[in-house]
Amino acid sequence: MANDEVLVIEDDEDILQLLTFNLESAGYEVSTATDGYEGLVQARRRQPGLIILDIMLPSMDGFEVCKELKRKQETSSIPVIMLTARGEEVDRIVGLELGADDYVIKPFSPRELLLRVKAIMKRIQPEETPRSRWQKDGLSVDLDAHRVDVDGEEVQLTATEFKLLFELVKRQGRVQTRDQLLNTVWGYEFEGYARTVDTHVRRLRQKLGPYAPYVETVRGVGYRFKE
């Protein structure tokens, strides 16, 4: 995967040009698509490091595109930032539930969007850790290979889901508040959207299957990985 390439799927020409200019100025390679179907083709062919995806697209909306990206193994691990003029919480939650890593609401600041792009690009890079592999019962987490196995079968996690699991495992037995997780996993202040953490924890638990209880909820505080 070319981690310095960003695919922008956006049908508004002015916004497309604005994003292309700012991303290229920041040193990223940029590819573009103006509808959902074209975006899917580009994603599969180019395997970008990140996708910026508008929701309101012709022919196939952003929700459907995101669902299809996460359904296909070859594109399931590509991080997605959803770009939307629809600021209702239900739309944000739907996007996160479908596998998006982040969202930005129009009108947006190019600087803010670049900060989020940089945070996600940094997140998908391997981190050094004294313990590169963690295993208990049938759950195995390989921190160097960014691989998780459940009862011998590899589980596909998004970059954000893996980073979340990484932070929980790294601090096994210690409670982490939602604000701490927003800072360490997302890499910036997320304007108090604690529901973002809850949504990703719920998706992570679903993928861990019988080992979901290892991710414990500490009511009123946050989460802890069971010792």
Side-chain angles (χ1 to χ4, degrees):
M1 181 183 292
N3 284 334
D4 61 346
E5 180 176 351
V6 178
L7 169 61
V8 182
I9 308 175
E10 166 64 68
D11 65 321
D12 186 306
E13 188 63 33
D14 290 336
I15 294 177
L16 197 60
Q17 290 181 6
L18 176 67
L19 291 172
T20 300
F21 173 79
N22 281 276
L23 288 165
E24 289 181 341
S25 297
Y28 296 105
E29 180 182 351
V30 180
S31 53
T32 63
T34 55
D35 66 64
Y37 288 115
E38 181 189 356
L40 285 174
V41 171
Q42 292 271 38
R44 290 166 184 160
R45 184 172 72 240
R46 302 189 66 88
Q47 293 289 296
L50 182 143
I51 295 172
I52 296 176
L53 174 63
D54 187 30
I55 288 182
M56 303 299 288
L57 292 169
S59 73
M60 184 181 196
D61 69 31
F63 290 138
E64 288 298 318
V65 174
C66 187
K67 185 188 299 182
E68 188 67 16
L69 286 169
K70 297 306 176 181
R71 190 175 69 85
K72 298 290 187 180
Q73 185 172 357
E74 66 267 29
T75 54
S76 64
S77 63
I78 302 175
V80 175
I81 296 177
M82 301 205 83
L83 195 61
T84 176
R86 297 160 57 170
E88 293 85 356
E89 185 180 26
V90 64
D91 292 321
R92 299 196 296 263
I93 296 301
V94 167
L96 294 170
E97 288 280 10
L98 289 174
D101 295 81
D102 201 350
Y103 58 85
V104 174
I105 299 172
K106 300 176 183 177
F108 59 88
S109 157
R111 181 176 177 275
E112 177 193 4
L113 181 60
L114 279 176
L115 286 174
R116 298 191 179 203
V117 168
K118 289 176 182 177
I120 290 179
M121 290 295 202
K122 181 180 179 181
R123 190 185 312 160
I124 64 179
Q125 299 300 320
E127 292 192 29
E128 293 184 5
T129 177
R131 185 180 182 185
S132 63
R133 189 179 182 86
W134 181 94
Q135 187 164 0
K136 182 176 182 181
D137 300 328
L139 178 62
S140 173
V141 182
D142 190 324
L143 302 177
D144 289 335
H146 276 219
R147 177 184 173 114
V148 176
D149 290 276
V150 171
D151 292 331
E153 295 291 329
E154 183 177 4
V155 175
Q156 296 293 327
L157 300 184
T158 66
T160 302
E161 290 164 354
F162 188 89
K163 177 67 172 174
L164 177 59
L165 181 60
F166 173 90
E167 293 297 334
L168 290 168
V169 169
K170 189 166 67 172
R171 296 172 176 83
Q172 185 180 358
R174 286 181 282 172
V175 178
Q176 296 184 74
T177 67
R178 289 173 174 82
D179 286 341
Q180 287 174 326
L181 289 169
L182 283 170
N183 185 48
T184 56
V185 176
W186 279 261
Y188 48 81
E189 294 298 325
F190 212 110
E191 301 176 0
Y193 291 140
R195 286 287 298 278
T196 301
V197 177
D198 298 337
T199 300
H200 279 82
V201 167
R202 182 164 59 251
R203 284 194 353 230
L204 178 60
R205 282 172 169 159
Q206 290 172 350
K207 294 184 177 182
L208 294 181
Y211 306 104
Y214 285 1
V215 181
E216 300 179 319
T217 300
V218 181
R219 193 170 300 278
V221 182
Y223 297 96
R224 172 179 59 208
F225 201 83
K226 186 177 181 180
E227 285 191 291

